[in-house]
C-alpha cells in the first residue's frame, strides 16, 4: 500500500503533462523557425535581390524615367486627376506587391521542391509537431520576410523617384496591424498555391495567377479610381491584394482616396482565415498522399 501510494504521488498530473507537451511543441516550432532563419541568413544575397529588384525597377521606370521624358509630368492620368504625383500613389501599392511576392516566393517555391521527387517535406513532418503546425510555421516565416520586403521598399521610394513622395502616418498601430495581416495573408496565399499546384507547374502560376492579381490589385491606382468601370471595381473585390494595397494606402497616404479601414481589416481577416484553411487542408492532403 505504501509503494502504491508513492507511485500515485509521483505520477504527473494531467495539467503538468499537458503543459510539458505544449512546451515540447513550442521548442520544436522554434527549432523549425530558427532552422529556416539560418538557411535564409546563408542565402541573404539572393533574398535581397529578390526583395529589391521588382520595386526598384518599377520605381525607376515609372517615377524617374517617365517624369524626365515628359518634362516633369507624372504621365499618369489618375495622379493628375487627383492632384498627386504618381510616386505617392505608387508607394503603398509597391509595398503590397513586395509583401505578396515575398510571401509566395518564401512558401510556394520551396514547397514545389519539398513535394517533388525527393520528398524533403517528410523530414519536416517527422519533427514532434502536429502536421498543421508545420504549415503554420511556413506561413509565419514567410510573413517575417514579407515585412522585411515592405520595409525595404520605403527607402527606395524616397530616393529613386524624381518627384518627392508625400507619406504621413496618422495611426502607427493601424499601420502595424495592416502590415502584419497583409504579410500573414500573403504567406497563406503562398501555402495555398504551393499545395494546390503540381511542382512542375509552379512556374506557370506566375503568369496565370500572380501577374493578373497584381495588375488588378489596385497597386498603381486607388480602388475609388475604378468608379468609371463599375463592373471591374466590383470584380476586383475578390482579390486579396486590393485590401493590402488599400490598407497601406489608408495608413501611409490618408489624404488619398481609399476604402473604409474597417472594411479593409475585415476582408484581410476573412482572406487570412480562408487561405489558411485552404492551405493547411492542401498541405495535409499532399503530406498524407
Amino acid at each position: 500500500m505504501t509503494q502504491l501510494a508513492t507511485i500515485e504521488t509521483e505520477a504527473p498530473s494531467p495539467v503538468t503533462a499537458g503543459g510539458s507537451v505544449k512546451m515540447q511543441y513550442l521548442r520544436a516550432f522554434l527549432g523549425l523557425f530558427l532552422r529556416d532563419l539560418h538557411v535564409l541568413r546563408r542565402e541573404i544575397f539572393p533574398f535581397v535581390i529578390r526583395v529589391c529588384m521588382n520595386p526598384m525597377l518599377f520605381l525607376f521606370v515609372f517615377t524617374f524615367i517617365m517624369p524626365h521624358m515628359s518634362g516633369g509630368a507624372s504621365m499618369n492620368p489618375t495622379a493628375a486627376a487627383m492632384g498627386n504625383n504618381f510616386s505617392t500613389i505608387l508607394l503603398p501599392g509597391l509595398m503590397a506587391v513586395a509583401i505578396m511576392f515575398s510571401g509566395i516566393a518564401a512558401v510556394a517555391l520551396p514547397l514545389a521542391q519539398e513535394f517533388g521527387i525527393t520528398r524533403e517535406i517528410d523530414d519536416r513532418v517527422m519533427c514532434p509537431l502536429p502536421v498543421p503546425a508545420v504549415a503554420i510555421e511556413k506561413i509565419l516565416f514567410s510573413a517575417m520576410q514579407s515585412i522585411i520586403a515592405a520595409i525595404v521598399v520605403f527607402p527606395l521610394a524616397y530616393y529613386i523617384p524624381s518627384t518627392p513622395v508625400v507619406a504621413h502616418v496618422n495611426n502607427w498601430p493601424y499601420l502595424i496591424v495592416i502590415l502584419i495581416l497583409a504579410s500573414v495573408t500573403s504567406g497563406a496565399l503562398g501555402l495555398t498555391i504551393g499545395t494546390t499546384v503540381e511542382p512542375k507547374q509552379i512556374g506557370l502560376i506566375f503568369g496565370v495567377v500572380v501577374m493578373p492579381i497584381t495588375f488588378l490589385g489596385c497597386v498603381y491606382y486607388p480602388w475609388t479610381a475604378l468608379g468609371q468601370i463599375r463592373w471591374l471595381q466590383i470584380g476586383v473585390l475578390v482579390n486579396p491584394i486590393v485590401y493590402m494595397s488599400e490598407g497601406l494606402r489608408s495608413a501611409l497616404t490618408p489624404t488619398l482616396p481609399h476604402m473604409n479601414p474597417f472594411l479593409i481589416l475585415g476582408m484581410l481577416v476573412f482572406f487570412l482565415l480562408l487561405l489558411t484553411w485552404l492551405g493547411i487542408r492542401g498541405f495535409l492532403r499532399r503530406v498524407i498522399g
Side-chain angles (χ1 to χ4, degrees):
M1 290 294 292
T2 304
Q3 184 179 3
L4 180 59
T6 304
I7 294 175
E8 290 179 351
T9 303
E10 293 178 352
S13 66
V15 176
T16 305
S20 176
V21 171
K22 290 179 181 178
M23 286 303 298
Q24 182 182 3
Y25 286 166
L26 180 60
R27 285 195 296 267
F29 189 91
L30 291 177
L32 276 180
F33 197 92
L34 291 175
R35 175 185 178 275
D36 288 338
L37 194 61
H38 178 70
V39 173
L40 179 64
R41 188 174 59 184
R42 289 192 308 174
E43 300 176 354
I44 191 66
F45 184 72
F47 170 70
V48 172
I49 295 297
R50 187 184 77 208
V51 166
C52 294
M53 187 58 66
N54 189 49
M56 186 167 62
L57 286 176
F58 270 106
L59 287 168
F60 185 68
V61 172
F62 286 108
T63 67
F64 184 82
I65 294 179
M66 285 188 172
H68 279 82
M69 290 171 58
S70 59
S74 65
M75 291 185 69
N76 182 270
T78 302
M82 296 182 179
N84 295 278
N85 64 70
F86 190 42
S87 304
T88 301
I89 294 176
L90 194 59
L91 170 62
L94 283 184
M95 291 179 69
V97 169
I99 289 172
M100 183 200 66
F101 268 94
S102 293
I104 293 176
V107 182
L109 297 183
L111 278 178
Q113 298 177 346
E114 294 173 4
F115 283 131
I117 299 177
T118 59
R119 290 290 297 183
E120 295 178 21
I121 193 66
D122 294 336
D123 295 335
R124 284 180 170 270
V125 299
M126 288 179 66
C127 70
L129 266 179
V131 176
V134 178
I136 293 173
E137 186 273 336
K138 284 186 168 293
I139 293 176
L140 295 182
F141 186 71
S142 73
M144 182 202 69
Q145 297 183 55
S146 295
I147 292 174
I148 295 174
I151 293 173
V152 167
V153 172
F154 221 89
L156 294 177
Y158 264 92
Y159 289 107
I160 293 178
S162 59
T163 54
V165 173
V166 182
H168 179 67
V169 180
N170 290 331
N171 191 337
W172 280 99
Y174 174 70
L175 173 60
I176 293 171
V177 169
I178 290 292
L179 271 176
I180 293 174
L181 281 176
S183 300
V184 180
T185 302
S186 70
L189 176 61
L191 181 68
T192 302
I193 292 175
T195 55
T196 304
V197 181
E198 293 296 326
K200 61 183 178 181
Q201 298 176 340
I202 196 68
L204 184 65
I205 289 300
F206 281 88
V208 176
V209 176
V210 176
M211 294 307 294
I213 65 175
T214 299
F215 282 96
L216 297 176
C218 297
V219 172
Y220 314 107
Y221 45 82
W223 179 75
T224 56
L226 292 174
Q228 301 296 325
I229 316 174
R230 187 61 179 169
W231 63 269
L232 183 60
Q233 188 181 39
I234 296 174
V236 298
L237 293 177
V238 299
N239 186 351
I241 313 301
V242 170
Y243 306 100
M244 299 180 192
S245 301
E246 287 293 299
L248 291 168
R249 189 166 286 121
S250 64
L252 295 170
T253 56
T255 57
L256 292 178
H258 53 76
M259 284 184 179
N260 186 292
F262 293 103
L263 174 63
I264 295 170
L265 291 172
M267 292 305 295
L268 281 176
V269 171
F270 168 76
F271 277 109
L272 171 60
L273 296 176
L274 175 64
L275 292 172
T276 301
W277 176 73
L278 291 174
I280 292 177
R281 182 183 177 188
F283 189 80
L284 291 173
R285 184 180 68 250
R286 295 291 293 273
V287 169
I288 295 173

